[in-house]
Amino acid sequence: MTFQEGGSFEGGRVRTGGGRGKIAAGGGGIAALVVALIYVFSNGQVDLSGVTGGGSGAETTEGTIGDCTAEQANTDPSCRLSATIQSLDAYWGPTVTTVGVTFAQPEVLSFTGAADTACGTASSSTGPFYCPPDATIYLDLGFFDELQTRFGAEGGPLAEEYVEAHEYGHHIQQITGVMDKAQRGGTGADSDSVRIELQADCYAGMWAGKAATTADPDTGVPFLDPITPQTLEQALSAAQAVGDDHIQAQSGGGVNPDTWTHGSSEQRARWFTTGYEQGTFEACDTFSADTL
């Protein structure tokens, strides 16, 4: 189990919708994978408006994820998403106040096929991302299957929660002003783009390190069971799977740090671990780090 027995989570926190058909990001096979990964864990800097394609044109009714028990959250990805977001809310609310920031929750949309965003039209091809203009996390839950089958991650609940916590980390960067200060359009191993992504990994680790002791304000039950070394490996495997060097190697080309936007597999796992073990904003200050 991941969520502690006896927990329960009120519905309505995560919206659902989308469904205008799959959008093609261009190409097929590994080429399509590489294009898609331009957007994986994106900070919203990428303009999605040029992504085009077809589909059935069918509409999906908008709604929200309903009430869930801990048992449901441990088996159903939709319930797990809702419970994880509520855990992130409970952790980050008081945490950001320690640095003098007023907390505001991000919106979250779980979509199927495609969704309109303030950053353009998103599709399943784009992977999970955070859009700063509308302060919303967007993700298609089908991505978690891709994380294993195409990217080679171990999978498991904490792998999914790592992805969701990473995107939430971008929201924390937005409300603390990091997004506005960073030069997010550049590339390279020392670029602000990489520093933004590694910091979001570190923030995901901060949440994970406290999730087993952060109590649900509605029930008083801590959100997660204590994380074991075995379950921690799920998150580390996911972080490594989306490293720039791993993605470039999968594409069949050479590894070129000058084009990196997210950091290497080793860096992503290491910064997550830093947040998990140290749990402070200071420890996650990638912009002051001499070596990433």
Side-chain angles (χ1 to χ4, degrees), residues 85-237:
I85 293 299
Q86 291 179 56
S87 173
L88 287 157
D89 291 341
Y91 171 71
W92 282 114
T95 300
V96 297
T97 63
T98 65
V99 291
V101 173
T102 300
F103 179 65
Q105 295 177 351
E107 293 292 321
V108 184
L109 177 68
S110 175
F111 69 90
T112 301
D116 290 327
T117 84
C119 295
T121 299
S123 80
S124 300
S125 305
T126 63
F129 71 99
Y130 173 76
C131 180
D134 59 17
T136 300
I137 296 167
Y138 294 91
L139 76 164
D140 185 325
L141 292 174
F143 172 76
F144 296 128
D145 292 331
E146 300 290 301
L147 193 60
Q148 292 179 259
T149 59
R150 289 194 176 187
F151 306 164
E154 177 181 325
L158 197 60
E160 297 179 17
E161 292 154 5
Y162 154 72
V163 172
E164 295 151 5
H166 173 99
E167 297 309 331
Y168 205 110
H170 284 315
H171 178 68
I172 299 304
Q173 292 170 323
Q174 176 75 356
I175 64 176
T176 56
V178 173
M179 286 283 194
D180 291 336
K181 295 176 182 178
Q183 299 297 317
R184 292 179 282 148
T187 63
D190 290 322
S191 66
D192 279 7
S193 296
V194 169
R195 292 176 189 271
I196 280 279
E197 298 302 326
L198 295 180
Q199 186 175 69
D201 284 333
C202 195
Y203 286 173
M206 285 177 64
W207 162 79
K210 298 296 184 181
T213 55
T214 299
D216 185 336
D218 294 328
T219 64
V221 177
F223 283 94
L224 295 188
D225 282 332
I227 295 174
T228 67
Q230 291 73 30
T231 54
L232 183 63
E233 184 57 35
Q234 297 173 3
L236 296 175
S237 176

Side-chain angles (χ1 to χ4, degrees), residues 186-195 244 256-263 292:
T187 63
D190 290 322
S191 66
D192 279 7
S193 296
V194 169
R195 292 176 189 271
D244 283 322
N256 182 6
D258 291 338
T259 63
W260 288 1
T261 57
H262 288 67
L292 293 174

